[in-house]
Amino acid sequence: MSIAVAKGVRVVVGATTVLDHTDLDVARGEIVALMGENGIGKSTLIRCLAGLQRTTEGVILVFGAPPSGDAAFWRDVGLVTDDQAWYPWLTVREHLELIRKIHEPADDPRMEPDALLEAFGLLDRADAAPATLSTGQRQRLSIASVLARPSRLLLLDEPEHGLDADFRERLAVMLGNYASDGGTLIMATHDRELASATEARVIALEAGTRA
Ligand SMILES: Nc1ncnc2c1ncn2[C@@H]1O[C@H](COP(=O)(O)OP(=O)(O)OP(=O)(O)O)[C@@H](O)[C@H]1O
């Protein structure tokens, strides 16, 4: 079954045609890397799949229906972009505990806050406020936060943003595990090594993409 489909998608923003005749069909358990030059429309396609960007023409289907944007949709979908919002009064650990609390019992011990802090190299920043983290540490927390709850589809916009080479290798393993556990992952990325380490199906976006 297709988890995410784009058919004949055209997005016009102002005077710019951002996407044109873009097609995509992603099956359950796939990892897809959307690649291509700056401004080609990778983030826009991710936003379309998340229901955050309206298409001018064409159809987007996620789990067989247009992305609804309601809570039930977001229960199944994890989105990571570079504009994550954090509660200023909660620490790094408390963010993960809050997510865990809502979704307990944990389906998987890897979702527990301590396991995530360890896996994401954030143990020594566990009591810090997210705003005081470095760019890469905040990116780690963003990704840890989507992996702290069950989901069926991850939409990641440049997950490598700010991450050092060692951690990108660890991330590739975690994303691979997500997919081998039955999750589906679509990421916009410039990182060829991440795409190759996750054995992603690479879709090179260009004007009029069919994949
Ligand atoms: N809100 C907006 N208003 C005007 N133009 C926009 C808007 N959002 C995106 N665009 C334009 O759409 C095009 C595609 O942008 P997008 O961010 O999707 O590209 P990208 O492939 O993700 O680029 P990058 O690799 O730089 O992240 C760009 O030309 C951008 O200027």
Side-chain angles (χ1 to χ4, degrees):
M1 172 198 161
S2 296
I3 294 292
V5 171
K7 275 189 219 160
V9 166
R10 177 175 158 87
V11 174
V12 178
V13 184
T16 311
T17 300
V18 180
L19 293 172
D20 202 6
H21 299 105
T22 300
D23 291 341
L24 183 74
D25 194 330
V26 181
R28 181 172 182 269
E30 264 200 295
I31 299 182
V32 164
L34 304 175
M35 303 192 77
E37 64 191 46
N38 291 136
I40 198 71
K42 303 178 295 295
S43 301
T44 303
L45 184 51
I46 292 280
R47 288 174 54 76
C48 288
L49 294 167
L52 300 174
Q53 169 71 53
R54 193 174 296 174
T55 60
T56 309
E57 274 176 36
V59 177
I60 297 280
L61 299 174
V62 175
F63 312 126
S68 63
D70 60 15
F73 173 79
W74 287 113
R75 285 265 167 157
D76 283 332
V77 177
L79 173 69
V80 173
T81 65
D82 63 1
D83 63 349
Q84 301 294 123
W86 305 105
Y87 295 110
W89 64 92
L90 295 183
T91 65
V92 166
R93 179 192 297 279
E94 286 165 346
H95 275 86
L96 298 174
E97 285 174 349
L98 177 64
I99 297 165
R100 189 66 271 136
K101 190 86 192 149
I102 292 164
H103 295 280
E104 55 184 18
D107 290 11
D108 183 332
R110 290 172 296 185
M111 290 176 175
E112 293 295 349
D114 280 337
L116 286 166
L117 290 169
E118 167 83 41
F120 281 81
L122 288 169
L123 271 174
D124 61 344
R125 305 309 316 270
D127 298 321
T132 66
L133 299 179
S134 73
T135 303
Q137 289 167 341
R138 225 172 6 254
Q139 182 71 353
R140 292 179 190 214
L141 178 58
S142 295
I143 302 169
S145 296
V146 294
L147 293 179
R149 64 182 175 91
S151 63
R152 295 164 63 197
L153 172 65
L154 290 187
L155 300 172
L156 309 180
D157 193 356
E158 296 191 31
E160 72 272 17
H161 179 66
L163 300 179
D164 60 55
D166 280 354
F167 187 74
R168 274 182 267 152
E169 281 181 22
R170 284 161 65 184
L171 177 64
V173 173
M174 288 189 266
L175 298 182
N177 288 341
Y178 178 83
S180 52
D181 290 345
T184 304
L185 197 156
I186 304 174
M187 59 181 169
T189 183
H190 291 286
D191 187 339
R192 289 182 194 287
E193 284 179 20
L194 182 64
S196 126
T198 53
E199 296 178 13
R201 174 159 67 100
V202 173
I203 295 174
L205 280 195
E206 44 195 64
T209 290
R210 195 167 291 275

